[in-house]
Amino acid sequence: MTMNDDQFLKDLGLDLELHRRIFDALDRNFQRTVLARPDRPARMDYFDGVIRGAHGERVREIAARRAAGDKLVGTFCIYVPEEIVLALGAIPVALCGGTSASIPYAEKMLPRDICPLVKSTLGLALSNTCPYGPIEDLAVGETTCDAKKKTWDILSKGGDFHVLEVPQKKGARDRDLWHEEILQFRARLEGLTGWTLEPDKLSQAVRLMNRKRRALARLNAFRKEDNPPLSGLDALVVMQGALIDDTLRFTEKLEALNVELEDRVRCGVGVAGRQARRIMVSGCPSVMGNWKLHALVESAGAVVVCDETCTGSRYYENPVEETGGGLDVQLAAVADRYLKIECSCFSPNDERLESVTRLAREHRADGVIQYVLQYCHTYNIEAVAVAAALKEAGVPSLKIVTDYAEEDTGQLRLRVDAFFEGLGRRESAP
Amino acid sequence: MTMNDDQFLKDLGLDLELHRRIFDALDRNFQRTVLARPDRPARMDYFDGVIRGAHGERVREIAARRAAGDKLVGTFCIYVPEEIVLALGAIPVALCGGTSASIPYAEKMLPRDICPLVKSTLGLALSNTCPYGPIEDLAVGETTCDAKKKTWDILSKGGDFHVLEVPQKKGARDRDLWHEEILQFRARLEGLTGWTLEPDKLSQAVRLMNRKRRALARLNAFRKEDNPPLSGLDALVVMQGALIDDTLRFTEKLEALNVELEDRVRCGVGVAGRQARRIMVSGCPSVMGNWKLHALVESAGAVVVCDETCTGSRYYENPVEETGGGLDVQLAAVADRYLKIECSCFSPNDERLESVTRLAREHRADGVIQYVLQYCHTYNIEAVAVAAALKEAGVPSLKIVTDYAEEDTGQLRLRVDAFFEGLGRRESAP
C-alpha cells in the first residue's frame, strides 16, 4: 500500500483507517506465512504482487478500465461463468473474504454460527472496507449453500445483484434449469454492458479460459513430483490470484512460472525432502487472506501436494468444449462445464468421491486433510462419505473444522502432528 | 406403552431397552408440559392419544395394513405431496425426531453443529429405536436445507429412499423442475405400490387433504378469538398429530374438536385471560417430542395464537385446486400447491414476509417469537428480513435460537420474560 493508494481508496469513500487495519493485518499474515518461506520460485514474485496489490494496484487498474466504459462483475463462487463475463468485455473479480478482521462487522447483522467465508465477505461490504464495493457494477451470487443463498437475499435488496440458481441434483431437468440460468445471466450482462454476446468473442473467451485452466493444471501437475518444485502455499497463492487478476496477464505469468518449475524439476530443486509427508487438502476453499491450513501443514514439515477445493482442482479441471455451431451450442458447452464442478451442494455427489480418491492417487498423497470451514454443513456432512471412500482406497484422512481465527492453531497443530505420526515415516526413495 | 407393545416392538427388532428410555422421557415431558395444563378441551383426549400411541398403537395399525398389502411412506418434510401417497393407497407418516434423547446416536456419525431435528431423526434411525424404520417401504427426503440434503446422501445408500428436489427459486423453470419431480415421485410410488395412479383416486385424496387442511385452518381461526378456546400447546399437539395419524380419522376427530371449540367460544370458555399477551411463533417446526418453546411461552402467562411454521400455517394454508381435466392437470395442481409453501429455502422469499405480517395482524399478535432451531442457517438468516418486516408493521419480535436440550431453559425464560415486559400490558377489552 502506498500513500497514492490511500488517497485513491479515500476517494472511493472507504473507511480508510479501518481498511488500513484490516489490510495491514492481512499483509503481515502474508509476509509471515508465505513470503518468509525458503526456496520459493523466483517467478512467484508476480503472484505475491497480485495478492499485495489486490486492495491497491488492481483496484486502480479496474477503476481505469471502468472509466473507459468496462464493467466490473464481482463474484463469490466458481460457478459464475467467467467466459461470458469476459466475452462481454467485463472484468470478473472474486470478492470472497478470507480475513477474520472483517467478521465482527458481519456479526452485527448475521448470526455468528455461519461460515467465516460468508461473514468475512459480508463484513468487508458492511464495514465499507472492500475497495471493489464502490466500483462494482454487478455482484453475482449463487445458491450453493444455505448461508450464501440467504445472505444474498439481504444483499440483493440493494439492486445490482444477480443470483444464479445452481441446482441440487444433476438430472436432465436440472441441466435445463442451469442452462436457462446461464441464458438469463447472459441477458443480465448484455443489459449491463450494452453489448450483445457474439459467437467469436465467446470462442475467444472460452479459449482464453481454457488456456488459463490448462496452465493451472500444469502447475498442479508439478505437485505430483517426488520433490515438488513449489510448496502448497505457493500453489494456493497462485490459485487465489487466479480469482482476482486480469485473465490474460495472469495466464502469461503462470506459463512463465511453469517454465521455471520445469527447470526446477529438471535440476532436482524442490521444496520438500523426499521424506516429507505428502498431504492433499480436500473440501472448502481458502480464499485470499486465508493461508491458515496450508501454513499449519507445511510448517509441520509436510507438503501439500493437491487441493481438491474451489481454490484447487474444482477451478482448473474440465475445460469448456471449444465448439462452433453458434451461440446456443457454445453457451450449452459453457453451462455443461460448470455443472461438472463437484460442489458438495449436489445430492448425491458420488462423482466427487471418485475425484478425491483419483487425485489422492495421482498426487501420491500419504494422507488427506478434509478442510471444513466451520458451519459449512455440506462439506462437513459429506466428509463422512469422503472419509469412507478414502479409507476404502487405503488413504488415511483427518477432518479439520475451523474458522479464520488464530485461537485454535495450537490445538490444530497437535492434531495435525498426531495425524502425521499415524501416517508413519515415508520410505526413502531409491 | 403396554406389555403388548413391548413384545410387538421387540418383534420388529428394535433396541427395546433404549426405546423405552427414549420414549419414556418423551412421554414424561408430554405429561408435564401438555397433559398437566388446566382447562383443556375434552376432545383433546383423542389427539393426546395420537402422540402417546405414535410408538405403539399407530405402529401396530400400520403393520396390520402392511400385512394386507399397503405400503408405508416415511416423510421428513411437508413438501412431500400426501395426496399422491394416499391416492395410491399408501400411508404417509412424518418421521422427524423431536427428542433430544436420540441425538447422541446421530453425533457418532454427523457433526454436532447441525440442527437438532436432523440429528434427532437420524439418531432414532441409527440407534434402532424408530419403530417405523423396520416397517417403512420408502423414505422420502428433500433438498430444503444443507443438513437434510446431505444427510439423505448418507441414508439413501440403503436404497428405499427417494429425494425430492425442491428448487431454490420460484421462477418458471423451477416450476417445471418441481412438476417433473412430482411426476418422478408418482412413478416411484407406482412402482412401490404396484398400482397405477387413477384420476378419481387422486381427486378423492385431494378432497380429503383439502378437508383436513380446512379443518386445521378452522382450528387455527379459533386462535384469533380474544380469549382463545385452546392453548398454543394444544394446537401444536393437533398439528403434530396431523403428521402422524390416519388422514380421514384425524380429520373427523378434528372436526369434532372444532365443534367443541365453537361451543367454548360461544360460552366464553378460554385458556387465557384477556390480558394475556398474544404471541405468534414463526420459523422452524416443533415436531412430536418438542414442546419446548410453546411450554416456555405459555408457562410465562402468554398464549401462542398462531404458528407460522411447518407445524402451523405452512401445512394448512393453500388447498389444492380441485380440478378435473385428467391426471396431468390434477398433478400440476398438486405441484403448484406445494410450491406455494413459503419455506426459507427459497431465494428470494418475500412472500413469507407478507404472510408473517398478515398472520400477526389476523391473529392480533402482540409480539412474534422467531423460533430458530440451532444451526438452521436459512431461518436464522431470514430472521433479519422477518424482523425488519415486523418492525415496519409495528409488531415487536424476538429471535430465539435453541436446540432440544433443557439446559438453556432458564436463560430463555429470562429473555422471554424481558420481551413480554417490553410489550407492555395489554389493555383490558371493553
Side-chain angles (χ1 to χ4, degrees):
Chain A
M1 303 279 289
T2 63
M3 288 299 290
N4 223 347
D5 283 339
D6 274 5
Q7 187 56 47
F8 172 70
L9 294 175
K10 198 171 170 184
D11 291 345
L12 286 181
L14 290 204
D15 181 334
L16 204 60
E17 269 315 295
L18 189 57
H19 178 269
R20 195 200 309 267
R21 220 162 63 215
I22 291 178
F23 198 79
D24 282 358
L26 190 150
D27 198 58
R28 274 196 305 277
N29 187 11
F30 186 57
Q31 291 182 44
R32 198 178 62 235
T33 54
V34 177
L35 301 187
R37 300 270 306 169
D39 305 326
R40 303 181 67 218
R43 288 179 182 161
M44 277 305 297
D45 253 13
Y46 174 76
F47 301 94
D48 296 343
V50 171
I51 301 296
R52 302 184 88 174
H55 278 215
E57 207 174 310
R58 178 68 175 143
V59 189
R60 298 159 68 88
E61 174 182 59
I62 291 171
R65 281 192 56 186
R66 284 185 79 242
D70 293 342
K71 302 294 180 184
L72 171 60
V73 176
T75 67
F76 305 100
C77 182
I78 61 169
Y79 274 99
V80 181
E82 294 177 66
E83 288 81 357
I84 299 174
V85 179
L86 292 168
L88 285 161
I91 310 156
V93 173
L95 300 183
C96 290
T99 170
S100 61
S102 63
I103 286 179
Y105 302 92
E107 289 178 346
K108 286 180 188 172
M109 175 187 277
L110 283 187
R112 295 195 63 176
D113 49 8
I114 64 169
C115 104
L117 191 151
V118 172
K119 285 190 293 187
S120 177
T121 304
L122 189 70
L124 289 167
L126 295 182
S127 63
N128 201 20
T129 56
C130 174
Y132 297 97
I135 62 170
E136 79 184 350
D137 299 288
L138 183 71
V140 186
E142 26 50 55
T143 60
T144 48
C145 74
D146 290 346
K148 288 211 276 180
K149 176 170 70 177
K150 299 310 288 183
T151 300
W152 309 151
D153 283 359
I154 298 172
L155 284 181
S156 61
K157 293 290 176 218
D160 301 341
F161 207 100
H162 188 85
V163 179
L164 282 168
E165 181 174 8
V166 177
Q168 309 187 70
K169 291 186 186 179
K170 291 189 177 180
R173 197 59 66 150
D174 302 285
R175 188 172 171 275
D176 289 350
L177 183 141
W178 176 241
H179 280 219
E180 179 75 18
E181 286 292 309
I182 296 299
L183 297 183
Q184 285 178 11
F185 180 60
R186 165 220 179 163
R188 178 84 189 243
L189 280 186
E190 286 183 336
L192 179 76
T193 58
W195 295 90
T196 301
L197 187 64
E198 291 170 16
D200 282 356
K201 294 269 190 213
L202 184 55
S203 284
Q204 208 177 317
V206 164
R207 280 197 303 271
L208 176 57
M209 282 300 300
N210 281 351
R211 182 179 156 195
K212 179 183 181 182
R213 296 194 212 275
R214 253 193 325 270
L216 285 166
R218 187 162 178 231
L219 176 97
N220 278 281
F222 289 122
R223 302 169 78 188
K224 297 175 184 171
E225 295 291 334
D226 262 357
N227 185 3
L230 88 168
S231 67
L233 269 167
D234 280 345
L236 180 61
V237 165
V238 173
M239 277 304 313
Q240 291 172 343
L243 302 177
I244 301 167
D245 198 16
D246 176 79
T247 309
L248 176 58
R249 186 179 58 216
F250 172 88
T251 304
E252 290 171 346
K253 295 291 185 182
L254 176 54
E255 287 165 347
L257 172 64
N258 281 337
V259 171
E260 181 185 355
L261 294 177
E262 195 168 15
D263 282 348
R264 281 168 75 107
V265 170
R266 200 167 26 237
C267 303
V269 179
V271 296
R274 288 182 182 220
Q275 294 193 356
R277 288 172 179 100
R278 305 172 64 87
I279 299 299
M280 175 168 128
V281 171
S282 172
C284 292
S286 298
V287 301
M288 196 190 94
N290 177 17
W291 302 285
K292 182 173 170 176
L293 180 70
H294 291 68
L296 191 76
V297 169
E298 300 202 322
S299 68
V303 58
V304 178
V305 293
C306 183
D307 295 85
E308 190 277 322
T309 67
C310 310
T311 41
S313 62
R314 285 201 281 278
Y315 184 79
Y316 62 77
E317 290 200 326
N318 302 312
V320 172
E321 193 193 345
E322 295 180 18
T323 177
L327 265 185
D328 286 352
V329 181
Q330 291 173 278
L331 284 167
V334 170
D336 284 343
R337 186 265 157 196
Y338 282 86
L339 206 53
K340 283 184 197 145
I341 299 174
E342 290 153 354
C343 176
S344 57
C345 67
F346 287 101
S347 172
N349 197 26
D350 294 334
E351 299 88 342
R352 181 172 169 233
L353 305 185
E354 287 164 30
S355 291
V356 170
T357 48
R358 169 181 57 80
L359 287 167
R361 194 174 58 242
E362 287 177 3
H363 289 260
R364 290 173 298 122
D366 298 315
V368 171
I369 292 183
Q370 292 206 62
Y371 177 55
V372 177
L373 290 175
Q374 199 173 20
Y375 308 123
C376 173
H377 295 336
T378 58
Y379 281 106
N380 204 353
I381 299 175
E382 192 155 286
V384 176
V386 170
L390 285 168
K391 188 172 181 186
E392 186 158 326
V395 184
S397 71
L398 172 73
K399 181 172 88 171
I400 284 186
V401 181
T402 186
D403 58 12
Y404 290 171
E406 293 295 322
E407 281 77 1
D408 62 350
T409 312
Q411 193 210 28
L412 291 181
R413 177 63 187 261
L414 288 175
R415 291 188 64 212
V416 164
D417 282 342
F419 179 60
F420 291 172
E421 285 303 321
L423 296 180
R425 186 131 303 274
R426 268 183 79 74
E427 284 177 32
S428 199
Chain B
M1 303 281 289
T2 64
M3 289 298 289
N4 225 344
D5 283 338
D6 273 5
Q7 187 56 47
F8 171 69
L9 295 175
K10 198 170 170 186
D11 291 346
L12 287 180
L14 290 204
D15 181 335
L16 205 60
E17 269 315 294
L18 189 57
H19 178 270
R20 195 201 310 268
R21 222 162 61 216
I22 291 178
F23 198 81
D24 283 357
L26 190 150
D27 198 58
R28 274 195 307 274
N29 187 11
F30 186 57
Q31 291 182 44
R32 199 178 61 235
T33 54
V34 177
L35 300 187
R37 300 269 308 169
D39 304 326
R40 303 181 68 218
R43 288 179 183 162
M44 278 304 298
D45 253 13
Y46 174 77
F47 301 93
D48 296 342
V50 171
I51 301 296
R52 302 185 88 173
H55 277 216
E57 207 174 310
R58 178 67 175 143
V59 188
R60 297 160 67 89
E61 175 182 58
I62 290 171
R65 281 192 55 186
R66 283 185 81 243
D70 293 342
K71 302 292 181 185
L72 171 61
V73 176
T75 68
F76 305 99
C77 183
I78 59 169
Y79 274 99
V80 180
E82 294 177 68
E83 288 82 355
I84 299 173
V85 179
L86 292 169
L88 285 162
I91 310 156
V93 173
L95 299 184
C96 291
T99 170
S100 61
S102 63
I103 286 179
Y105 302 93
E107 289 176 347
K108 287 180 188 173
M109 173 185 279
L110 283 187
R112 295 195 63 177
D113 49 8
I114 64 169
C115 104
L117 191 151
V118 172
K119 285 190 294 188
S120 177
T121 304
L122 189 70
L124 289 167
L126 295 182
S127 64
N128 201 20
T129 56
C130 173
Y132 298 97
I135 62 170
E136 80 185 348
D137 299 287
L138 182 71
V140 186
E142 26 51 53
T143 60
T144 48
C145 73
D146 289 345
K148 287 209 278 179
K149 177 171 68 176
K150 298 311 287 184
T151 300
W152 309 151
D153 283 359
I154 298 172
L155 284 182
S156 61
K157 293 289 176 219
D160 301 341
F161 207 101
H162 187 85
V163 179
L164 283 168
E165 182 175 9
V166 177
Q168 309 187 69
K169 291 185 185 178
K170 290 189 177 180
R173 197 61 65 151
D174 303 286
R175 187 173 173 276
D176 289 349
L177 183 141
W178 177 241
H179 281 220
E180 179 75 18
E181 286 293 310
I182 296 299
L183 297 183
Q184 285 179 10
F185 180 60
R186 166 221 180 164
R188 178 84 188 243
L189 280 186
E190 286 182 338
L192 178 77
T193 59
W195 294 91
T196 301
L197 187 64
E198 292 170 17
D200 282 358
K201 293 270 182 193
L202 184 54
S203 285
Q204 207 176 319
V206 164
R207 280 196 302 274
L208 175 57
M209 282 301 299
N210 281 351
R211 181 179 156 195
K212 179 184 181 183
R213 296 195 213 275
R214 254 194 325 271
L216 285 167
R218 186 162 180 231
L219 175 97
N220 279 282
F222 289 122
R223 301 169 78 189
K224 298 175 184 171
E225 294 291 333
D226 263 357
N227 185 4
L230 88 168
S231 67
L233 268 166
D234 280 345
L236 180 61
V237 165
V238 173
M239 276 304 312
Q240 291 172 343
L243 303 178
I244 302 166
D245 198 16
D246 176 80
T247 310
L248 176 59
R249 186 179 56 216
F250 172 88
T251 304
E252 291 171 344
K253 294 291 185 181
L254 176 53
E255 288 166 345
L257 172 63
N258 281 336
V259 171
E260 181 185 355
L261 295 177
E262 195 169 15
D263 283 347
R264 280 168 74 105
V265 170
R266 200 166 28 237
C267 303
V269 178
V271 295
R274 288 181 182 220
Q275 295 194 353
R277 289 173 177 99
R278 303 172 66 86
I279 299 299
M280 176 169 128
V281 171
S282 173
C284 292
S286 298
V287 300
M288 196 191 94
N290 176 16
W291 303 284
K292 182 174 170 177
L293 180 70
H294 291 68
L296 191 76
V297 169
E298 300 203 321
S299 68
V303 58
V304 177
V305 293
C306 183
D307 295 86
E308 189 277 321
T309 67
C310 310
T311 41
S313 61
R314 285 200 280 280
Y315 184 78
Y316 62 75
E317 290 200 326
N318 302 312
V320 172
E321 192 193 346
E322 294 181 19
T323 176
L327 264 186
D328 286 352
V329 181
Q330 291 173 278
L331 284 167
V334 170
D336 284 342
R337 185 266 157 196
Y338 283 86
L339 207 52
K340 283 185 197 146
I341 299 173
E342 289 151 355
C343 176
S344 56
C345 67
F346 287 100
S347 171
N349 197 26
D350 294 335
E351 299 88 342
R352 181 173 169 231
L353 306 184
E354 287 165 31
S355 291
V356 170
T357 49
R358 169 179 60 78
L359 287 167
R361 193 174 58 243
E362 287 177 3
H363 289 260
R364 291 173 297 122
D366 298 313
V368 170
I369 292 182
Q370 290 206 64
Y371 177 55
V372 178
L373 290 175
Q374 200 172 19
Y375 309 121
C376 173
H377 295 336
T378 59
Y379 281 105
N380 204 353
I381 299 176
E382 190 155 287
V384 176
V386 171
L390 286 168
K391 189 174 181 184
E392 185 159 327
V395 183
S397 72
L398 173 73
K399 182 171 88 171
I400 285 186
V401 181
T402 186
D403 60 11
Y404 290 172
E406 293 295 321
E407 282 76 1
D408 62 350
T409 311
Q411 192 210 28
L412 291 180
R413 178 63 187 263
L414 288 175
R415 291 188 65 211
V416 164
D417 282 343
F419 178 59
F420 291 171
E421 285 305 320
L423 296 179
R425 185 131 303 274
R426 270 185 76 77
E427 284 178 31
S428 197

